[in-house]
Amino acid sequence: MAFIYSTVGDNAALDHVSTGTAAHMPAEWEAHQRTWMAFPPPNDTFGPAGSPTLDRARAAWTRVAQTIARYEPVTVVADPRDATAAREWLGGGIDVMAVPLDDAWLRDSGPTFVHQPDGSLAAVDWIFNGWGAQEWAAWTKDQAMAQAAAAGAGVPVRPSPLVNEGGGFHVDGEGTVLLTETVQLDPGRNPGATKDSVEAEVHAALGTTKAIWLPRGLTRDYDEFGTRGHVDIVAAFAGPGTILLHRQDDPAHPDHAVYLQLKTVLAGQLDAQGRPLRIIDVPAPTVLRDEEGWVDWSYINHYVANDVVVLCGFDDPNDAIAAGILERAYPGRTVELVDARDIFAFGGGIHCITQQQPAAMDGGSL
């Protein structure tokens, strides 16, 4: 399945808008019914069955799932060949659903849950094509993940013609969405797309009314196995009018210049309600490089669930500083630091492997 934007105009996106009814994506910090994750399968990213690298991935994903499960229900999707192993790794209290898998980045391949006008839930099914049809990616199975998760959740599907991933945007629940020019406008994703055409579709799918575009993401994300600029590792809403921003202080790291550029872009911006943005800097971990090059270790890639913030930990002096910042940003929630170094080694963070299913509103069925 593919959708090609016309370079002649925005008719395709606008036609899709006219056929739908209003939906609304709540902010991540609003009440959840459950969290969705995926269990790492044997593949080129994690390694073959029985390998130490696959075990490392499964241990890292399990730590996150078990932490979230102390606060809300968790469903983990596992390839049918791995369902028994998933149950053994995860232990009791976490649901396992057997679905064919290529990879385990459920934020990107899975659905985006939204409220329908009556308060019930629906699942937006973006087109997933392996982060812009990258040569190393496989997605024949994962492109069906959104529909499978929607069926498991018992909610209807709202198909979108936009190639998009859940890590490629962030909403405040009050009409504002963060996007990145190198993601939604990527020729490998949406050739011929314009900001207007992307915004029309995103607003229709999520119920947003204002997009704030960042010019790029972190440096590591443009390496061979990157996403080309996902926003959820560099900037995230932490409340109405409030954005957490990844701050790299060391001028030797190329993300120092990225931080200065993004801070300039965000300064003076208004959200959909007309409020000036309040920007909260979150210092990056002190580690600058690993064996692959400049690291993209980031505390921005955290996950907010019921009563908890699951924060990437790096056994770094700045872990405690980041935890304090997020405690103040999300008052009343416990901040749980979970070692995310292995998750980042495989290409993402805690937010990348989780997806919230919001609670239905009054009048909508659970």
Side-chain angles (χ1 to χ4, degrees), residues 3 22 29 32 39 46 63 79 83 96 99-100 102 117 139 165 167-168 189 215 222 244 252 260 273 286:
F3 181 83
W29 52 84
H32 295 184
F39 189 68
F46 303 120
R63 286 193 295 269
D79 191 272
V96 174
V99 177
D102 292 305
W139 62 90
E165 304 95 35
R189 288 175 166 98
Y222 296 90
L244 300 173
L260 294 176
Q273 304 300 317
T286 60

Side-chain angles (χ1 to χ4, degrees), residues 60-109:
W61 265 246
T62 294
R63 286 193 295 269
V64 174
Q66 290 176 340
T67 301
I68 298 170
R70 296 201 294 269
Y71 296 88
E72 65 182 58
V74 176
T75 294
V76 175
V77 177
D79 191 272
R81 63 185 167 172
D82 300 322
T84 297
R87 293 185 179 95
E88 292 173 352
W89 274 93
L90 295 163
I94 295 177
D95 296 330
V96 174
M97 187 174 84
V99 177
L101 285 178
D102 292 305
D103 222 320
W105 308 101
L106 202 281
R107 171 71 54 177
D108 293 344
S109 60

